[in-house]
Amino acid sequence: MPAEIHIPETFGTAPFDPRFPNTNQTRYCYQSYLDYHRCQKLRGDKYEPCNYFQKVFKSICPNAWVERWDDQRSQGTFAGRI
């Protein structure tokens, strides 16, 4: 993870990520969700660069998915490795 991530003031949609070149952004959504929670786990809640990943997943992930993943994390049944 880079030490410093520049977060633009206006953040309408997620920027292009060469790891996910296709129009189907499902993997980009899921990976950004994982990256955000991994960053928070490693760096703490107050580490500002983690918010970049949160803004990305909130802009491209359906709300229902995020709610389901949050519920699964709180119940300890989330399949992802955080």
Side-chain angles (χ1 to χ4, degrees):
M1 184 179 331
E4 298 263 343
I5 297 175
H6 174 70
I7 301 173
E9 291 297 320
T10 57
F11 194 85
T13 61
F16 176 74
D17 189 328
R19 298 176 298 168
F20 310 103
N22 300 324
T23 55
N24 183 344
Q25 297 293 294
T26 302
R27 288 188 61 215
Y28 189 17
C29 158
Y30 184 70
Q31 189 61 49
S32 297
Y33 182 85
L34 291 176
D35 288 344
Y36 170 70
H37 289 289
R38 286 178 183 156
C39 181
Q40 291 242 307
K41 183 178 178 181
L42 291 172
R43 303 290 184 141
D45 293 343
K46 297 189 193 288
Y47 189 65
E48 185 66 27
C50 294
N51 293 338
Y52 169 81
F53 299 114
Q54 183 183 41
K55 288 178 182 180
V56 170
F57 84 73
K58 284 190 173 194
S59 74
I60 62 174
C61 293
N63 291 335
W65 293 4
V66 174
E67 290 172 10
R68 184 172 356 133
W69 294 336
D70 287 343
D71 289 343
Q72 290 172 348
R73 281 187 326 102
S74 67
Q75 295 170 3
T77 60
F78 184 68
R81 294 178 63 202
I82 296 177

